[in-house]
Amino acid sequence: MKAFLKKLSYLLPLLILIGFYACKPAKQSYSSPKGYDFNHPEKFIMPESLHEISGIAFYKGKSDTVYSIQDEEGRLYRQAWGNKKQQHAIFGKKGDYEDLTILNETVIILRSDGTLFTFPFTAAIQPKVKKIKEWNDILPDGEYESIYADQQTNQVYLLCKNCKGDKKNQTMSGSIFTYNPAKNELIASGNFSMDLSGLVTSGQILKTGLKASALTKDPHSGDWYILSSVNKLLIVASPDWKVKSVHRLNSAIFAQPEGIAFDNQMNLYISNEGDELSSGNILKFKRKP
């Protein structure tokens, strides 16, 4: 009996260690889209004024200046990369502004109710925007956080975060407009839909849908890059909106991803709103050869 107890005393620590690792949850794996390493970003901490940064854009892909908005103030911010000092142009009243895009010489800002604001890019360096046009009731009723403009075709794409029928049909719907700069017109140019049923069935997204928070397009391949802050995902889709790859985001790096953009060197940028413990930031992922 004593010999048995002695053996047990030697084995007990080992059994406890085995039990610990058996009960320990498996380490979450995080993938990256081809050409990027999401585990090692260059981080740009935002000033307090951009704690709730909700969208980012570049002028003609030039990354020397970052243009951004936050979701409470009607202000278009601008700052040099790595420099916290910002300047801004006031374009509207307080509101829930979610994303922006710069289409050649025109700035387009999206409010969560689907209202768009357009004004000349030259006004972005003025204290207050004077020539601004507001577009109401041009989108189906819903909540919107994602906009992208194609510099070559002048087409503007908008994804719906919450729209009627999307949850039931397990889809994500969107609208396309063509911008006429000569007349400052947005012309309705069609709709599209992305099938999410496979992602729901596999448990990769919630049954309530993808809840897109930002959108951009790879200018070389034409693939769509869609962020979902709610699901902590980046979806890469083909030009015709078929899912190609799904990448789960590490919440330790991506606190609340709300903005996304490419520069003209194919580097990828993702902005995160801050929270009680961390400041807002923009993460830069350099394109790997």
Side-chain angles (χ1 to χ4, degrees):
M1 185 66 177
K2 286 183 179 180
F4 172 75
L5 291 174
K6 187 176 181 179
K7 288 183 180 179
L8 184 60
S9 67
Y10 286 124
L11 289 172
L12 191 58
L14 180 60
L15 292 172
I16 292 173
L17 191 62
I18 292 172
F20 171 77
Y21 282 104
C23 296
K24 189 177 180 180
K27 187 177 180 180
Q28 177 72 60
S29 61
Y30 301 98
S31 61
S32 304
K34 186 178 180 181
Y36 302 94
D37 180 1
F38 273 13
N39 296 306
H40 300 94
E42 180 182 336
K43 183 184 288 188
F44 179 16
I45 303 296
M46 294 291 97
E48 180 60 30
S49 56
L50 283 163
H51 183 76
E52 297 189 33
I53 184 171
S54 57
I56 55 174
F58 298 112
Y59 173 63
K60 296 184 177 180
K62 300 175 183 178
S63 60
D64 56 341
T65 303
V66 183
Y67 295 87
S68 59
I69 56 171
Q70 56 110 309
D71 63 8
E72 291 183 349
E73 303 286 344
R75 298 178 178 184
L76 174 63
Y77 295 85
R78 65 188 187 277
Q79 58 199 131
W81 177 258
N83 187 346
K84 279 192 173 185
K85 184 179 179 181
Q86 56 80 15
Q87 295 177 293
H88 62 264
I90 298 173
F91 66 84
K93 301 176 182 179
K94 289 182 179 293
D96 189 10
Y97 302 101
E98 292 293 350
D99 205 1
L100 80 156
T101 188
I102 301 175
L103 176 55
N104 296 311
E105 301 302 323
T106 302
V107 177
I108 308 176
I109 294 175
L110 170 66
R111 200 168 64 192
S112 62
D113 62 358
T115 298
L116 300 178
F117 301 85
T118 61
F119 54 87
F121 176 74
T122 52
I125 60 172
Q126 303 298 324
K128 188 171 184 177
V129 179
K130 295 179 180 179
K131 295 181 179 179
I132 186 165
K133 186 168 182 178
E134 186 171 334
W135 303 82
N136 299 297
D137 303 322
I138 63 171
L139 290 167
D141 289 342
E143 182 182 0
Y144 294 83
E145 291 191 3
S146 308
I147 185 171
Y148 171 80
D150 190 304
Q151 310 296 314
Q152 305 304 316
T153 64
N154 276 356
Q155 288 192 315
V156 179
Y157 297 80
L158 294 116
L159 286 181
C160 191
K161 182 179 180 181
N162 284 309
C163 272
K164 186 178 181 181
D166 279 354
K167 179 181 176 181
K168 179 182 178 181
N169 299 326
Q170 296 185 342
T171 58
M172 179 176 62
S173 59
S175 302
I176 307 171
F177 293 84
T178 301
Y179 181 68
N180 182 339
K183 296 183 178 181
N184 190 19
E185 289 181 337
L186 279 170
I187 304 164
S189 304
N191 303 293
F192 60 92
S193 181
M194 184 172 170
D195 181 13
L196 302 177
S197 59
L199 299 180
V200 174
T201 302
S202 64
Q204 292 176 288
I205 66 171
L206 302 173
K207 291 183 179 181
T208 51
L210 184 60
K211 308 295 184 187
S213 56
L215 169 73
T216 193
K217 184 165 73 170
D218 181 327
H220 287 181
S221 68
D223 287 344
W224 296 103
Y225 281 56
I226 306 161
L227 272 181
S228 173
S229 184
V230 171
N231 289 280
K232 281 290 190 295
L233 290 179
L234 173 74
I235 306 291
V236 179
S238 63
D240 59 349
W241 303 98
K242 301 291 193 303
V243 176
K244 293 180 68 175
S245 62
V246 180
H247 306 280
R248 189 157 299 282
L249 302 176
N250 186 345
S251 58
I253 299 174
F254 302 89
Q256 190 174 333
E258 297 281 349
I260 189 169
F262 283 100
D263 68 13
N264 54 17
Q265 300 299 310
M266 285 301 294
N267 300 311
L268 181 61
Y269 300 75
I270 294 177
S271 62
N272 292 277
E273 286 193 17
D275 55 26
E276 295 80 3
L277 300 176
S278 59
S279 302
N281 64 58
I282 303 175
L283 305 176
K284 177 181 179 179
F285 301 94
K286 292 184 178 180
R287 175 75 178 185
K288 295 188 295 184

